Amino acid sequence: MSVSQQVFLRDAMRRLNLTRDVFAARIGVKRRALDTWLLPEGSQEARGMPEVVTRFVTEIVDNEALLKKYAQSVQSGPLRDRIASDGKHQLLSVDQFTRESVEELFRIADLMQPIARRQKVSRVLEGAVLGNLFFEASTRTRVSFGAAFCRLGGSVCDTTGFTFSSMAKGESIYDTSRVMSGYVDAMVIRHPDQGSVAEFARATNIPVVNGGDGPGEHPSQALLDLYTILTEFSRLGKLLDGAHIALVGDLKYGRTVHSLLKLLALYRGLKFTLIAPRGLEMPGYIIEQASKNGHVIEQTASLEEGLPGADVIYATRVQKERFAGEELEGYTAEFQVNKAIVDKCCGPDVIVMHPLPRDSREGAHDLSVDLNEDPRLAIFRQTDNGIPVRMAIFAVLMGVEGLVQHSLRDVTWSPPSHIGPDDSVFHGID
């Protein structure tokens, strides 16, 4: 088989439009066996697929058509060329992606999972230096990008805070970008002004990744969010096509939901329920862009009206630091996503997500901590997924994705079986 077992099976299920349960029944195997074949290579529970199953699945999906699909992908050039922005290998917006290129990126992220899970190491970016330029407060995103680059063998130079940069002395974005390009091999930039990262990108030819530009976009966050949804749906035997997604909170200034809605709109037949306080609704131009693909989009200010039937609840923090005269009228305790409202409106398979950080202070009414031990809460699995997805982004932009699999070595230390103390509940560990 010219492609990995995991990719082969996932493409077969997508081609046939079948859930895991139906697909397993169709090929005459138990669901548990199929699950072990779909685990990333290098996983302790992964198992090889029997030859007879390979032949049977190949006959079902028509091997010639499947190979043609892969041949087309190869002939159309490297992924980094197909998602390029103005001919440059930079990631500024999710608008650079099609559904096919997103899923190709995720197949590369799957290859990164053994590294992200501390089972393997790779040095494909050895000698490369990342400039992490964060002119706005960040912990998770900055460290996540840095960790992803380091896990591929690179090194990181950090700068945090506008007041500690030369821009506070009046240096232009162009000058800063051009100077930094002489020091590093790639840059991740977060800046409080929308469109500012594109200005950085115009001044350089090295890879630039948008780490968040004010209320604009946050493409890597949206990609890891979509990867998480697809991973969770795969575990639950669901398909993203036809799903019901509820986006909750500050949809006006929450750049993560702007990028995520546009990415999700690449799929088919989705229902979006946009639940926001008055004055913090999703911008019209984003709704218009998503509506062109024939999705159902509803807006409400009520959790009880919007959450029933949702497959995913994506809650967001109120971006008070970006307000331009808005008030928090209507954002009360009744608007908080907590265990009571999730139990009341949703089923046992709903996925609760949040881009983090969440405001856990009393009166903030952000995503409640009373869901912390609920397996439906996926926020920490979501942040964990940021590492393989950002590793995939770096590998693609720097043209080394084809080298990763052959560069893997076993780790020399003993990684934990699960990272967080509460993860054992989800993983079924007593």
Side-chain angles (χ1 to χ4, degrees), residues 75-146:
Q75 290 169 2
S76 59
L79 178 58
R80 71 176 190 154
D81 291 341
R82 284 179 277 130
I83 64 171
S85 174
D86 294 327
K88 297 180 179 181
H89 301 136
Q90 300 169 341
L91 176 55
L92 307 180
S93 169
V94 295
D95 291 333
Q96 296 169 227
F97 285 91
T98 63
R99 175 169 174 170
E100 291 71 27
S101 60
V102 165
E103 293 184 348
E104 188 171 343
L105 179 75
F106 290 166
R107 287 195 288 270
I108 297 168
D110 287 340
L111 296 177
M112 302 297 182
Q113 283 286 7
I115 308 173
R117 294 176 180 177
R118 288 93 157 158
Q119 296 164 350
K120 300 286 184 179
V121 294
S122 173
R123 306 292 296 174
V124 292
L125 289 184
E126 186 171 15
V129 179
L130 172 69
N132 245 359
L133 310 185
F134 278 68
F135 301 102
E136 190 178 51
S138 172
T139 301
R140 293 162 302 95
T141 304
R142 178 173 55 83
V143 174
S144 177
F145 271 116

Side-chain angles (χ1 to χ4, degrees), residues 115-397:
I115 308 173
R117 294 176 180 177
R118 288 93 157 158
Q119 296 164 350
K120 300 286 184 179
V121 294
S122 173
R123 306 292 296 174
V124 292
L125 289 184
E126 186 171 15
V129 179
L130 172 69
N132 245 359
L133 310 185
F134 278 68
F135 301 102
E136 190 178 51
S138 172
T139 301
R140 293 162 302 95
T141 304
R142 178 173 55 83
V143 174
S144 177
F145 271 116
F149 205 81
C150 288
R151 290 198 180 279
L152 289 174
S155 57
V156 181
C157 293
D158 273 323
T159 180
T160 58
F162 183 85
T163 56
F164 299 101
S165 76
S166 294
M167 294 178 71
K169 303 175 184 177
E171 185 175 53
S172 69
I173 285 179
Y174 183 95
D175 285 3
T176 300
S177 179
R178 177 58 187 86
V179 169
M180 291 302 298
S181 300
Y183 301 158
V184 300
D185 303 291
M187 289 190 286
V188 176
I189 300 167
R190 171 170 289 189
H191 196 280
D193 297 334
Q194 186 170 350
S196 56
V197 178
E199 287 189 56
F200 274 94
R202 282 193 289 271
T204 181
N205 287 324
I206 70 170
V208 173
V209 179
N210 183 356
D213 61 332
E217 282 204 49
H218 196 347
S220 69
Q221 179 70 47
L223 287 164
L224 76 88
D225 290 338
L226 177 57
Y227 183 79
T228 299
I229 292 170
L230 290 171
T231 301
E232 297 286 316
F233 274 23
S234 182
R235 174 178 60 83
L236 296 169
K238 291 183 176 182
L239 294 172
L240 181 51
D241 291 322
H244 178 189
I245 313 292
L247 303 177
V248 182
D250 182 353
L251 306 185
K252 180 177 182 179
Y253 294 111
R255 57 193 170 202
T256 62
V257 289
H258 297 171
S259 295
L260 180 58
L261 181 59
K262 291 198 286 186
L263 266 189
L264 287 166
L266 297 174
Y267 287 75
R268 296 188 296 269
L270 273 69
K271 176 182 177 181
F272 297 106
T273 303
L274 310 180
I275 310 171
R278 188 169 60 185
L280 297 180
E281 295 91 350
M282 181 73 74
Y285 73 92
I286 296 178
I287 294 177
E288 182 180 357
Q289 181 174 339
S291 300
K292 291 178 180 178
N293 294 330
H295 303 294
V296 175
I297 301 178
E298 298 178 352
Q299 299 189 71
T300 179
S302 168
L303 289 176
E304 292 197 12
E305 289 180 7
L307 292 186
D311 296 294
V312 177
I313 302 171
Y314 190 98
T316 63
R317 177 181 65 87
V318 173
Q319 310 278 308
K320 298 178 185 178
E321 67 273 18
R322 307 193 196 284
F323 278 21
E326 293 91 346
E327 299 292 337
L328 280 179
E329 181 182 351
Y331 204 82
T332 63
E334 288 73 32
F335 201 83
Q336 183 185 50
V337 175
N338 54 35
K339 185 171 175 57
I341 192 71
V342 173
D343 286 343
K344 180 178 180 180
C345 297
C346 304
D349 287 346
V350 69
I351 303 165
V352 181
M353 301 173 63
H354 191 294
L356 298 182
R358 58 174 167 171
D359 193 337
S360 300
R361 294 171 293 186
E362 186 175 352
H365 310 316
D366 203 345
L367 178 65
S368 177
V369 296
D370 68 1
L371 284 161
N372 278 7
E373 297 183 7
D374 193 316
R376 295 174 295 185
L377 185 73
I379 60 174
F380 299 117
R381 301 193 291 278
Q382 188 179 348
T383 55
D384 289 346
N385 283 333
I387 298 295
V389 170
R390 288 178 171 130
M391 289 171 69
I393 290 170
F394 286 133
V396 168
L397 294 182

